[in-house]
Amino acid sequence: MFSLRGSFIRIIGNKKVKSELKKEEVKRILVPNGRIGDMVCETPFLKALHKEFPKAEIDVYLDDVVAPLFKNCSYVNVILNKNKYKIIKKVKILKMLNLLYEAWTRRKKYDLYFIFTNEMRALSVLSLKILSPKYVISVYRREKFGIKKDELTIYDRYIKKAQSSHMRDIYLSGIEAITDEIIKDRKYEICLGNLENKYNNYFDKNKVNIIFNYLGGNFKKNLSYLELKESCSKLLEIKENIVVHIMTLPNKYEELLKQIESWNEKRIMICPETKDILDAAALIKYSDILASVDTGVVHAASAFNIPVISIFPNNENSIKYFSPMSDLSYIIKCEDKHYIKNFDKNLMCENIKDILKQKEKNLYEKHN
């Protein structure tokens, strides 16, 4: 069946001759941007990309909230997004025009470009046409408007199926499409720099120090103060030596502090006020367990293999793409598809008990 949109996508999404990737000619690479969780999941890909193209510049455009993650990463060039007007993100036509403008400002600057989203959208194909990188590696497109998943030749190479549906493995499949080899090093990497030992002596090593994060990427993933109090109080019932440290954002610090003081519980305290996500990651590194709603700090904990309990809305795709990757990882799924609320706190406590038993077992095996 004829589709006007499909015809337009075919016109702009095809070129006569596919480009040939010549590694020695790759001088500058553009990689996908994203929020904190996306970018932590992307770190094994960035590391493998640098290994494959050691002389190439690797650029990523990030917001100032995410940028500190790569402050100490020598092989990634962070370019701050200049757009600070929130209205552009809220008004659809402005968002579309901004996407095309950004593509124009970066036009023909890149030798290699990766795409990991599979939408068959005219705007996305048009922006890629404007960007005009020499070589594009992409996942298969979602079949739409009568266009097959691998029909468009603007994409020079399509990525084979990833090892799993997790975003980490999807990213790594982009490198595997070049090397035709499975990448073995799949660990997250956060370079702390001079923050490496900042919180080494912050936690009492005779206690079980649990960081609890109640704030997500949007209000739908935030826990209320009432549910936060119930959750923390429940954790204290497990063992007498458990201390719960609640993590919050700098602009919520004073408000949370007043709440915690009103609870009058010495084993529930507020985490120190952290400057940015890198500072928060440095703190998480020295905790014993992280319990958190689904958000970026979950992946920061996985970078240091801190045991994680992650609370998700009832969204299988979100769990599939962004489940925690620590050796000891647990997922609690809420009943609601969009909101994180009324989660199973008894299950959370059982998960904590399992983690403590496993840690004791590991410690015993290490000394015997």
Side-chain angles (χ1 to χ4, degrees):
M1 186 172 64
F2 176 78
S3 166
L4 182 61
R5 189 178 300 182
S7 298
F8 177 68
I9 291 174
R10 280 193 177 92
I11 292 170
I12 61 175
N14 282 303
K15 54 186 179 182
K16 292 181 180 179
V17 181
K18 283 193 175 186
S19 302
E20 181 183 351
L21 178 61
K22 298 178 181 179
K23 293 183 183 180
E24 66 276 7
E25 294 181 359
V26 176
K27 307 298 182 185
R28 198 170 182 187
I29 305 169
L30 180 61
V31 297
N33 60 10
R35 295 185 295 183
I36 290 170
D38 302 300
M39 296 312 300
V40 176
C41 291
E42 197 171 313
T43 56
F45 161 75
L46 293 171
K47 187 165 46 175
L49 188 61
H50 173 62
K51 185 177 179 180
E52 192 66 23
F53 301 94
K55 295 182 179 180
E57 292 186 45
I58 302 173
D59 290 354
V60 60
Y61 290 80
L62 296 174
D63 293 334
D64 54 8
V65 173
V66 187
L69 272 177
F70 298 96
K71 179 182 177 181
N72 303 302
C73 186
S74 61
Y75 52 83
V76 174
N77 300 323
V78 172
I79 303 170
L80 287 176
N81 285 323
K82 295 180 181 179
N83 176 27
K84 295 183 179 180
Y85 300 102
K86 292 182 179 180
I87 191 171
I88 290 178
K89 294 182 179 180
K90 294 180 179 180
V91 180
K92 188 175 181 179
I93 186 64
L94 293 179
K95 189 176 179 180
M96 292 167 63
L97 291 172
N98 186 63
L99 178 65
L100 298 177
Y101 171 74
E102 288 180 346
W104 180 257
T105 61
R106 303 164 194 174
R107 180 172 170 77
K108 294 188 176 181
K109 290 183 178 180
Y110 295 99
D111 303 305
L112 179 58
Y113 182 52
F114 292 87
I115 302 176
F116 296 103
T117 55
N118 66 353
E119 292 95 346
M120 187 71 76
R121 295 171 56 210
L123 182 66
S124 298
V125 179
L126 180 58
S127 65
L128 178 59
K129 189 79 170 182
I130 295 171
L131 182 66
S132 192
K134 288 183 181 178
Y135 196 87
V136 181
I137 296 178
S138 171
V139 295
Y140 286 110
R141 317 316 294 162
R142 181 178 297 161
E143 296 193 350
K144 205 172 181 181
F145 312 119
I147 302 174
K148 296 178 181 179
K149 64 179 183 178
D150 57 353
E151 181 178 336
L152 301 181
T153 55
I154 195 171
Y155 309 105
D156 298 293
R157 186 180 297 189
Y158 286 95
I159 296 170
K160 296 176 182 177
K161 189 175 180 180
Q163 281 194 347
S164 77
S165 298
H166 196 280
M167 281 310 303
R168 178 198 66 179
D169 294 329
I170 293 173
Y171 287 135
L172 281 169
S173 66
I175 296 294
E176 292 167 348
I178 297 172
T179 63
D180 290 322
E181 296 178 357
I182 300 299
I183 303 298
K184 293 181 180 179
D185 184 0
R186 311 180 87 82
K187 293 180 180 179
Y188 296 158
E189 182 176 79
I190 297 179
C191 302
L192 295 174
N194 59 9
L195 297 176
E196 189 72 39
N197 298 306
K198 179 177 179 179
Y199 298 102
N200 185 29
N201 297 312
Y202 176 77
F203 296 106
D204 185 342
K205 292 179 173 58
N206 295 314
K207 306 290 185 181
V208 176
N209 297 285
I210 301 174
I211 290 181
F212 197 103
N213 173 57
Y214 67 105
L215 294 177
N218 58 62
F219 73 95
K220 293 180 180 180
K221 294 184 178 182
N222 295 345
L223 293 179
S224 67
Y225 283 132
L226 176 61
E227 192 160 14
L228 175 62
K229 181 182 178 182
E230 291 175 355
S231 303
C232 294
S233 298
K234 198 76 176 175
L235 291 173
L236 298 184
E237 295 175 6
I238 299 172
K239 290 185 74 173
E240 291 183 359
N241 67 336
I242 283 178
V243 179
V244 180
H245 307 259
I246 305 176
M247 177 171 279
T248 193
L249 296 172
N251 63 345
K252 297 283 187 181
Y253 189 86
E254 293 299 328
E255 182 182 305
L256 175 63
L257 182 60
K258 290 179 181 179
Q259 286 287 331
I260 294 175
E261 287 175 347
S262 70
W263 298 345
N264 196 28
E265 172 53 67
K266 292 182 179 179
R267 289 195 290 149
I268 300 176
M269 57 186 68
I270 193 169
C271 284
E273 191 171 357
T274 51
K275 179 182 177 182
D276 51 37
I277 182 56
L278 195 66
D279 199 12
L283 177 67
I284 291 170
K285 178 184 176 180
Y286 291 100
S287 65
D288 295 305
I289 300 170
L290 173 74
S292 174
V293 296
D294 169 35
T295 192
V297 295
V298 168
H299 306 291
S302 292
F304 304 111
N305 203 26
I306 300 300
V308 173
I309 295 170
S310 187
I311 308 160
F312 282 82
N314 190 1
N315 183 325
E316 291 299 333
N317 279 337
S318 183
I319 294 171
K320 179 173 64 176
Y321 292 133
F322 293 107
S323 56
M325 299 301 286
S326 297
D327 289 344
L328 296 176
S329 300
Y330 298 80
I331 290 171
I332 298 175
K333 185 167 62 175
C334 299
E335 292 185 6
D336 196 280
K337 291 183 178 180
H338 306 288
Y339 288 83
I340 292 181
K341 60 181 180 180
N342 302 323
F343 68 95
D344 191 336
K345 296 168 187 62
N346 289 324
L347 178 57
M348 175 185 66
C349 290
E350 290 304 312
N351 292 339
I352 293 289
K353 291 175 184 177
D354 287 343
I355 291 170
L356 295 177
K357 286 179 183 178
Q358 188 60 49
K359 285 168 77 75
E360 288 175 5
K361 180 182 176 183
N362 294 343
L363 190 63
Y364 176 79
E365 291 175 350
K366 183 179 179 180
H367 291 91
N368 290 277

